Amino acid sequence: MAAQFGRRLRKGATTTAVAAVAVAALSASQAPGVVPAATGGDAQTSGSTPPSGSSATGNSPYFTDLPPLNSPNKPGASPHLPAVGPAEAGIPATVLAAYKQAEQAVAASDPGCRVPWQLLAAIGKVESGQARGGRVDANGTTFSPILGPVLNGVGFANISDTDNGAYDGDRTHDRAVGPMQFIPSTWATWGQDANSDGRKDPNNIYDAALAAAKYLCAGGRDLSVKEDLDKAILSYNRSREYLRTVLSWFEYYKRGTHQVPDGTGVLPAERSDSGSTGAGTTPAAPARPGATPGPSPSPTPPGGSTGGPSPSPSNPGTGGPSTDPSTPTTPPPTPTPPPGATVFGIENAGGGRPTATAGGDFAVLPKVRAKSRSGQSVVGADLTFEIVGGTDARFSGNRTTAVVRTGAGGVAVAPALKAGEKTGDFTIRVTVVGRALPRLDYAATVTPRQADALVRTGDKELTTAPSSEFADRVEVKATLEGEAASGVAVTATMVTAADDPAENTLGPYFKDAEGKPVRTLTELKTGADGLLVLPEIFSDDRSGTFLLRLTTEGGATLTIELKVAAPEAPPA
């Protein structure tokens, strides 16, 4: 640690305040779980207060590495500079996007809290090294769970299992889980579904960042007030040393950061429980809420198999890397963008108008080219694709937003896109991550499901007497290219003649919700097997042969005869 501190001092200090924070944190005891004095605070929700001494992480170990004493960017510089300067200032793209999304969400739901994304980044750095340097998939979920040590009272708190192993894989004791290191009992209260995939996953950085933001804001805190800020951080881990470490990174990130590709973030080296990463435990097999919990995980010696993707040169550990002594500990270098890699605009690179049938996949997707000031293609730029408008179409992973990096020719293609059941137009909006540049909008359309054939399933004659109802219901089947067509919209209309589709105001009719006669129904859809059973049909006092016409998107048409005749008089 002394060597690291000396290295940082050689780079020079920016301000006395930042230096003081760093020195205080380095000289303090590294013992975890120190309960602070009266400035400590507990998070509150719905009028309840966690038990005294509780914390979001169960006071689990954390990374004690401190930022360099020089600012990542010069004063007044853009916080969205390319990946240059101190590597410690780089935050992986998806992780950074999650922090900023959480800040925006809380600004809308709880504007009085004033939670800054840099605070979330500081906690994420200390808790998991920014999700192990950004080892997350396109949806923001870590490739394997990030788990803290077993909280069995041996060197840590003693917290019995509260989730039946659903999150941490341990049915005996709890463990801190995910990039923001929530213990399961705290996640049960504060967990969020920030990426709209239908579940609250502590191993997803979007879900975890929003949960952390709301947790820090609990109890009506205003994080622009120093006392509330300190209380919020201490409620996360009740240690004065933890508070100093988080504040040092908070101040550092406020002075500027830059985005780096996922998986290339700098991994921390020092932890509060052991002083290094060599004593870490490997994560259990991936656990997800709702999955059948497996057996309790057991510690694995450093360098052992993790049962999932392992970052190189480090293996996942207790919220951070756990290295094999035989492998180098130097983190992977941050790629340097090529000259002229700054994006000054985006343009349509082809692809045509995205269109899909309800429930189907979009065959054509937007292609966007990023270009420099001189018009040259920019490779390695991050573009955000966002679904805008009243639609239930979603990118893969049930997402409404996705970040895609430009490749050859500076082109990025939107992720796989699937239409929902809502038909009509919507917009796919493309922006440059971290740059206030003109956006690019693509009009997209979801068309109704189609059928090219419509047939009646029975051939029994449909008859009734005047002022009565037809005893038999009409059932039809829609097909498309010979296959059952589900979800097809069908319009049923009583028409005047086979060659005149005008609505007939006389003769048989349906009933609306109030029991009034109607002769056209539009909100009919075939089921999963392509079948549709029409509502009951009634007759007025007129006799004769009448026509019912059924039509679908795709051109399928079926005309059915309805006969109304007075019953024959019995023989004399």
Side-chain angles (χ1 to χ4, degrees):
M1 178 69 88
Q4 291 183 353
F5 188 44
R7 174 177 59 82
R8 291 174 178 139
L9 282 177
R10 284 194 294 272
K11 292 184 178 180
T14 53
T15 66
T16 303
V18 176
V21 170
V23 172
L26 285 166
S27 61
S29 166
Q30 299 300 325
V34 177
V35 179
T39 58
D42 289 324
Q44 299 176 13
T45 177
S46 304
S48 63
T49 303
S52 176
S54 67
S55 68
T57 67
N59 296 326
S60 292
Y62 55 91
F63 288 106
T64 59
D65 296 47
L66 291 171
L69 296 180
N70 60 313
S71 297
N73 291 324
K74 295 179 180 180
S78 168
H80 308 298
L81 295 176
V84 296
E88 293 91 338
I91 299 178
T94 299
V95 179
L96 180 60
Y99 295 149
K100 291 183 176 181
Q101 178 176 299
E103 177 192 60
Q104 294 170 357
V106 174
S109 63
D110 186 7
C113 174
R114 299 178 177 87
V115 59
W117 68 261
Q118 292 91 341
L119 176 59
L120 301 175
I123 291 175
K125 178 71 172 181
V126 169
E127 292 295 346
S128 69
Q130 311 297 20
R132 301 194 197 104
R135 287 192 56 78
V136 296
D137 62 21
N139 199 33
T141 302
T142 57
F143 290 128
S144 57
I146 299 176
L147 299 177
V150 177
L151 298 175
N152 57 7
V154 181
F156 311 110
N158 189 350
I159 303 179
S160 298
D161 174 62
T162 60
D163 65 332
N164 197 32
Y167 294 111
D168 55 15
D170 192 329
R171 299 184 183 182
T172 304
H173 293 91
D174 274 346
R175 304 171 72 171
V177 182
M180 303 304 280
Q181 289 288 276
F182 280 95
I183 55 175
S185 58
T186 306
W187 184 258
T189 300
W190 294 96
Q192 303 292 318
D193 178 16
N195 63 344
S196 302
D197 65 354
R199 63 181 181 179
K200 301 174 181 179
D201 185 358
N203 283 296
N204 180 277
I205 185 60
Y206 288 99
D207 293 358
L210 182 57
K214 289 180 174 289
Y215 182 90
L216 293 168
C217 290
R221 295 191 186 106
D222 179 352
L223 300 186
S224 66
V225 176
K226 184 63 167 66
E227 182 180 2
D228 280 1
L229 175 64
D230 288 355
K231 287 181 177 180
I233 297 171
L234 286 167
S235 76
Y236 215 90
N237 188 311
R238 302 178 68 83
S239 162
R240 290 282 187 175
E241 292 72 30
Y242 180 86
L243 171 65
R244 296 188 187 102
T245 306
V246 170
L247 286 175
S248 69
W249 282 105
F250 179 39
E251 291 298 324
Y252 183 69
Y253 286 142
K254 285 198 299 182
R255 294 175 183 276
T257 61
H258 58 265
Q259 177 182 287
V260 299
D262 289 344
T264 65
V266 172
L267 300 175
E270 304 291 331
R271 289 199 326 156
S272 61
D273 60 333
S274 64
S276 69
T277 61
T281 60
T282 57
R288 293 287 183 269
T292 303
S296 299
S298 58
T300 304
S305 172
T306 63
S310 299
S312 178
S314 302
N315 289 328
T318 61
S322 175
T323 58
D324 186 323
S326 64
T327 59
T329 58
T330 304
T334 300
T336 301
T342 301
V343 179
F344 278 89
I346 52 178
E347 64 184 9
N348 183 3
R353 184 186 180 100
T355 303
T357 302
D361 296 324
F362 284 78
V364 174
L365 296 169
K367 296 180 180 179
V368 182
R369 174 178 173 261
K371 58 185 180 179
S372 65
R373 185 190 294 274
S374 63
Q376 298 299 309
S377 298
V378 178
V379 177
D382 287 325
L383 307 183
T384 297
F385 290 77
E386 178 184 7
I387 296 173
V388 179
T391 180
D392 52 358
R394 292 292 183 267
F395 293 124
S396 57
N398 197 32
R399 296 171 294 166
T400 57
T401 61
V403 176
V404 180
R405 180 156 298 164
T406 58
V411 174
V413 182
L417 179 62
K418 188 177 184 64
E421 293 302 321
K422 188 170 184 178
T423 60
D425 297 334
F426 66 98
T427 299
I428 301 174
R429 179 162 296 162
V430 187
T431 55
V432 181
V433 173
R435 299 297 306 276
L437 298 173
R439 71 196 187 204
L440 192 60
D441 284 352
Y442 289 81
T445 302
V446 177
T447 60
R449 295 174 185 252
Q450 298 184 355
D452 56 17
L454 193 63
V455 297
R456 190 179 164 205
T457 58
D459 56 4
K460 185 177 180 181
E461 189 176 63
L462 300 170
T463 62
T464 192
S467 301
S468 185
E469 66 182 73
F470 288 82
D472 298 307
R473 302 280 288 271
V474 175
E475 182 184 69
V476 296
K477 182 173 184 177
T479 58
L480 180 64
E481 298 180 353
E483 299 293 331
S486 64
V488 174
V490 178
T491 298
T493 305
M494 303 296 177
V495 296
T496 55
D499 56 356
D500 183 2
E503 182 182 271
N504 192 347
T505 59
L506 304 174
Y509 60 88
F510 302 104
K511 287 184 179 181
D512 63 13
E514 297 178 354
K516 296 179 180 179
V518 292
R519 291 181 168 85
T520 299
L521 295 179
T522 58
E523 297 184 0
L524 303 172
K525 282 192 176 183
T526 60
D529 51 6
L531 294 176
L532 169 66
V533 178
L534 269 61
E536 290 179 315
I537 301 175
F538 302 86
S539 64
D540 59 14
D541 57 0
R542 293 166 178 79
S543 299
T545 299
F546 301 89
L547 299 178
L548 167 64
R549 172 168 291 180
L550 306 178
T551 58
T552 72
E553 290 288 338
T557 301
L558 176 65
T559 302
I560 301 173
E561 286 189 350
L562 303 174
K563 294 184 178 181
V564 180
E568 295 182 3

